């Protein structure tokens, strides 16, 4: 067994405390692994100031770099001069210093003298070939060396490109890759040692093509983003909005790197044009969102007017809403490309060259089309990868247009001969190789995706908002399928049907889906429709039905495991509160947010939170602390910023599991459910001792204090009063026993009372219209 295979990664050293290095250190700490963060000495009086300053900034970063305060405590700071010998304590050293080969060489020479044999050493470089990085180093160092290219911000960007050299130890590369996958939550894409690797190679070409074409065709930035954004499956920011987000000043660096390292005949060399406008924007501080503005800006001197830059004059003007594209062109790439005038021309000016360029990278930059597609989807948030886009156009149509323009047809498109680049065969997704045959898309061990199950299976039950799937080994998956997975009557009906189905032939149930949100809460639109026609019986039926469905899940004679990822708000949070266990993706944002729209939790969330908080470690015992904490969390619509934060707040139990890699969530949840099967007994219904009128008076006093400080509005007080009534037990007192059913009744009453109030109706309408809370 090699040293690499024998040594697990128990401690990591990150050298370089800039934006990327510090962010990588934070993500390692989020995985529960201690980190030593080192940088140079700038101040002899405070030798750790650089790394310490970076750590301080990480703690205040928005979006948050750390998933919890506990993670921040795992980062220890030091400096290269005094502490480099401590890399001997570490199992992986990540170099993230400035992109200068001479400085990296000097650091590696020092590292070689102090590191343990078998310790992985990697560079986060995005520009320097691996072969150049290991020049002058020993065979042993080269064997333990690789490139691990993270994307910014390291906590949230799922892609990591791993580049191994000819001398790299395969076992060490596998160990680092497994850690990046399972502990850091990254999707590992194997890239070859070529300039820009995969995502930045294609991404830089795409951005440059889009910028060049917009200027050449005389488009506004708004027109360009409307054409080159959502219709192509690109984030709604579009091209110019994306460049503003990542920083306009990054473009010249990427361009300089690629033009200096790519062959002279590479297609990128021909489009790497310098634009005086870009140079002027950078020189004057207009570098995007991090600067004074970018292609877009908010002009505060003009009353926060939203402005965009004129690409011809370089002057800012009020944003102009572009003319809407025809309906078909919003979803059909061929319809988009067929549009007359500038719209169709601009779409092809982006897609034609970019997709051809991506295809030309086979096999020198990647072994197969899957690697490039994954890199672009995760590295640049494309909905479809380049080869998936070619399939949407059609390989024959794509080739024909290139031929008509006298342009070369990429080898993989020639090999396709009109066939698709991806296909489903026997329920297995396959990709076309340069050898002309199809190969299975192979998932890593431990990855189970519902999208794969659906290729061969039919749902056990299905309606317009939910489905039940057999995911093997006697476990059923309940999937929400409504918009934003908002919970409605159809979902509640399917929960009711799921119980007898599982009892009749299965062992356990997992609540999971692969949407961007686990559930954004109850379907407020349907509720508001019922309110507008005064169908109060329907509103009460919805609340009672939800309470009944959730309690059926809680007391089902089999284990129920919730598996959230993304938003789990309101009714989505209440689903989790009723599960026997939760296996949450690390990036789960959980909270009871009903007060923000003038309501209270109506599906059992109040009682479940009191019960859960009464067991929360660190909270004083007795009836008042748990109720007070529940009031604080619910009245302020607090949302946990991660699964770890949700455990600290009490939305998740300390015993609930956290999965770092989104693709592993379903498999982990299924395993958790199966582990609960043997000897499973449903929970006993809780009873409560609640503080009654005295407790409510204390809460009212607190709200009045917030009102006096301007932190709470008049209607906040109305909603808080209704919530306090529920949480303190209504007419009950400390000597009374309050049942779970009593609290459900109080919830229903409070919900319906608030739903009739015009203040709540205004909040709901405003949320549905603007997506933002109304502070009335």
């Amino acid at each position: 067994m090699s040293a690499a295979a024998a040594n697990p990664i128990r401690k990591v050293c990150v050298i370089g405390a800039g934006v990327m290095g510090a962010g990588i250190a934070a993500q390692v700490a989020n995985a529960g692994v201690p980190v030593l963060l080192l940088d140079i000495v700038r101040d002899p009086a405070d030798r750790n100031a650089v790394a310490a300053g970076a750590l301080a900034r990480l703690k205040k970063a928005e979006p948050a770099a750390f998933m919890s305060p506990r993670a921040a405590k795992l980062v220890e700071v030091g400096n290269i001069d005094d502490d480099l010998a401590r890399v001997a304590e570490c199992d992986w050293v990540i170099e993230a210093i400035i992109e200068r080969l001479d400085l990296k060489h000097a650091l590696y020479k020092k590292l070689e003298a102090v590191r343990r044999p078998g310790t992985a050493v990697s560079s986060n470089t995005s520009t320097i070939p691996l072969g150049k990085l290991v020049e002058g180093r020993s065979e042993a160092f080269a064997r333990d060396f690789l490139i691990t290219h993270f994307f910014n911000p390291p906590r949230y960007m799922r892609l990591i490109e791993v580049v191994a050299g000819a001398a790299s130890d395969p076992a060490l590369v596998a160990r680092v890759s497994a850690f990046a996958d399972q502990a850091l939550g990254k999707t590992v894409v194997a890239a070859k040692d070529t300039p820009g690797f995969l995502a930045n190679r294609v991404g830089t070409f795409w951005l440059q093509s889009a910028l060049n074409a917009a200027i050449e065709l005389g488009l506004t930035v708004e027109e360009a983003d409307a054409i080159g954004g959502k219709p192509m499956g690109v984030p709604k920011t579009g091209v110019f909005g994306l460049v503003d987000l990542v920083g306009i000043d990054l473009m010249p660096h990427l361009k300089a790197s690629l033009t200096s390292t790519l062959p002279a005949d590479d297609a990128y060399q021909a489009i790497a044009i310098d634009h005086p406008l870009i140079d002027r924007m950078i020189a004057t501080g207009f570098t995007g969102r991090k600067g004074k503005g970018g292609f877009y800006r908010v002009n505060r001197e003009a009353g926060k007017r939203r402005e965009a830059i004129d690409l011809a004059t370089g002057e800012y003007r009020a944003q102009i809403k572009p003319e809407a594209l025809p309906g078909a062109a919003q979803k059909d790439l061929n319809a988009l490309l067929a549009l007359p005038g500038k719209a169709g021309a601009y779409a092809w000016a982006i897609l034609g060259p970019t997709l051809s360029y991506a295809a030309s990278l086979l096999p020198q930059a990647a072994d197969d089309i899957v690697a490039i597609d994954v890199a672009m989807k995760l590295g640049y948030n494309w909905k479809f990868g380049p080869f998936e886009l070619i399939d949407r156009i059609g390989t024959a149509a794509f080739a024909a247009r290139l031929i008509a323009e006298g342009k070369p047809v990429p080898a993989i498109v020639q090999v396709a001969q009109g066939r698709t680049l991806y296909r489903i065969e026997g329920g297995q997704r396959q990709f076309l190789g340069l050898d002309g045959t199809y190969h299975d898309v192979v998932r890593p061990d431990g990855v189970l995706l519902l999208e794969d199950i659906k290729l061969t299976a039919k749902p056990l039950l299905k309606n317009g908002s939910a489905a039940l799937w057999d995911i093997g080994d006697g476990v059923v998956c309940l999937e929400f399928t409504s918009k934003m997975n908002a919970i409605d009557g159809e979902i509640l009906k399917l929960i009711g049907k799921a119980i007898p189905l599982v009892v009749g032939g299965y062992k356990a149930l997992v609540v999971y889906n692969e949407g961007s949100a686990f559930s954004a809460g109850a379907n407020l639109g349907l509720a508001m429709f019922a309110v507008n026609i005064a169908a109060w019986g329907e509103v009460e039926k919805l609340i009672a039905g939800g309470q009944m469905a959730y309690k059926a899940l809680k007391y089902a004679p089999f284990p129920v495991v919730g598996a959230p990822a993304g938003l789990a708000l309101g009714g989505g949070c209440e689903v989790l509160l009723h599960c026997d266990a939760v296996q949450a993706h690390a990036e789960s944002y959980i909270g009871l947010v009903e007060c923000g729209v003038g309501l209270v939790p109506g599906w059992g969330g109040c009682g479940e939170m009191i019960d859960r908080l009464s067991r929360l470690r660190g909270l004083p015992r007795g009836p008042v602390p748990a109720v007070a904490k529940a009031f604080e969390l619910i009245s302020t619509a607090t949302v946990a910023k991660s699964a770890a934060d949700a455990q600290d707040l009490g939305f998740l139990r300390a015993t609930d599991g956290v999965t770092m890699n989104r693709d592993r969530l379903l498999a982990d949840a299924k395993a958790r459910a199966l582990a609960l099967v043997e000897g499973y007994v449903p929970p006993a219904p809780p009873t409560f001792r609640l503080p009654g009128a005295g407790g409510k008076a204390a809460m009212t006093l607190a709200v009045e204090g917030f009102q006096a400080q301007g932190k709470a509005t008049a209607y906040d007080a109305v909603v808080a009063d209704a919530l306090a009534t529920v949480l303190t037990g209504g007419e009950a007192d400390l000597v009374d026993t309050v049942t779970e059913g009593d609290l459900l009744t109080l919830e229903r009453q409070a919900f319906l009372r608030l739903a009739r109030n015009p203040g709540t109706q205004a909040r709901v309408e405003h949320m549905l219209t603007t997506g933002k809370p109304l502070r009335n």
Side-chain angles (χ1 to χ4, degrees), residues 373-676:
D373 276 350
V374 170
M376 289 310 296
K377 287 194 286 187
L378 296 184
Y380 280 79
N381 207 20
W382 286 15
K383 185 176 181 180
F384 309 103
F387 299 95
E388 291 170 331
L389 288 170
I390 292 174
D391 267 351
R392 292 173 73 83
I393 296 169
T395 55
F398 185 70
R401 185 151 185 178
L402 291 174
I403 291 168
E405 295 178 352
K407 295 174 182 173
V409 177
I412 188 66
V413 180
Q414 294 181 42
V415 166
Q417 296 182 328
R419 294 178 293 170
T420 57
L421 300 175
Y422 288 98
R423 72 174 188 182
I424 307 298
E425 186 70 21
Q428 172 69 49
R429 193 173 192 227
Q430 297 181 329
F431 67 91
L432 185 65
L434 285 170
D435 59 0
T437 61
Y438 286 96
H439 307 268
D440 289 348
V441 176
V442 179
R443 305 293 188 191
D445 290 341
V447 169
L448 176 65
L449 297 178
L450 203 53
E451 68 173 85
D452 290 344
I453 291 170
K454 291 177 181 180
L455 296 178
T456 56
K458 292 184 178 179
L460 301 171
L461 292 173
K462 180 180 173 62
N463 62 27
S465 297
L468 290 172
W469 300 91
D470 183 343
I471 59 173
D473 301 310
V475 181
V476 172
C477 175
L478 169 60
E479 176 196 27
F480 304 154
T481 59
S482 55
K483 185 177 181 181
M484 290 295 287
N485 294 319
I487 296 171
D488 56 19
E490 291 296 290
I491 288 176
L492 300 179
K493 284 180 188 175
L494 205 69
I495 290 174
K497 293 179 179 179
I499 308 295
L501 184 145
V502 176
V503 169
Y506 296 90
K507 299 175 182 177
L509 179 71
V510 169
V511 187
Y512 164 91
N513 62 71
E514 287 167 3
S516 59
F518 173 74
S519 173
N523 189 322
L524 288 177
L526 289 177
M528 199 62 201
F529 176 77
V531 167
N532 285 337
I533 62 173
W536 301 110
E538 290 303 308
V539 178
E540 185 167 13
K541 182 179 175 183
L542 179 65
I543 300 308
Q547 290 181 345
M548 186 181 304
Y550 283 18
K551 295 306 173 187
L553 280 179
K554 180 178 179 179
Y555 297 117
F558 52 78
V560 177
V561 173
L567 296 176
L569 305 178
C573 173
E574 287 176 294
V575 169
L576 302 177
L577 293 174
H578 286 82
C579 291
D580 294 293
V582 173
Q583 186 70 34
H585 181 231
E587 298 297 348
S588 294
Y589 315 115
I590 304 171
L592 295 169
V593 297
E594 290 86 350
C595 287
V597 289
L599 295 166
V600 297
W603 287 335
C606 293
E608 293 301 326
M609 278 306 295
I610 294 171
D611 185 43
R612 182 155 305 187
L613 290 168
S614 68
R615 308 167 199 270
L616 186 65
R617 193 167 48 200
L619 205 64
R621 301 300 89 186
V624 176
V627 169
K629 186 64 176 177
F631 181 76
E632 175 192 333
L633 292 173
I634 299 171
S635 67
T636 58
T638 298
V639 176
K641 294 181 179 180
S642 67
D645 190 32
Q647 288 178 316
D648 292 341
L649 292 171
F651 293 118
L652 296 180
R653 309 172 187 87
T655 54
D656 286 329
V658 177
T659 296
M660 292 294 284
N661 191 318
R662 178 70 174 81
D663 290 345
R664 296 181 176 276
L665 180 58
L666 182 56
D668 289 352
K670 176 183 171 182
R672 186 70 183 271
L674 288 170
L676 295 173

Side-chain angles (χ1 to χ4, degrees), residues 2 96 223 523 549 559 769:
S2 72
E223 288 172 332
N523 189 322
T769 304

Side-chain angles (χ1 to χ4, degrees), residues 95-108 123 125 127-128 133:
E95 170 268 302
I97 67 172
I98 192 170
E99 293 286 77
R100 273 182 49 186
L101 187 58
D102 59 333
L103 296 180
K104 292 180 189 289
H105 278 170
L107 175 62
Y108 298 162
S123 175
T125 185
T127 63
I128 303 174
L133 291 171

Side-chain angles (χ1 to χ4, degrees), residues 23 73 141 246 276 284 299 353 373 411 417 443 517 519 529 652 703 757:
K73 294 177 182 177
F141 189 91
V246 301
T284 53
N299 189 339
D373 276 350
Q417 296 182 328
R443 305 293 188 191
S519 173
F529 176 77
L652 296 180
V703 173
N757 194 309

Side-chain angles (χ1 to χ4, degrees), residues 47-68:
R47 298 177 68 80
N48 296 338
V50 176
L55 179 58
R57 288 189 293 275
L58 283 175
K59 292 177 180 178
K60 298 176 182 177
E62 287 295 338
F66 289 113
M67 293 180 180
S68 73

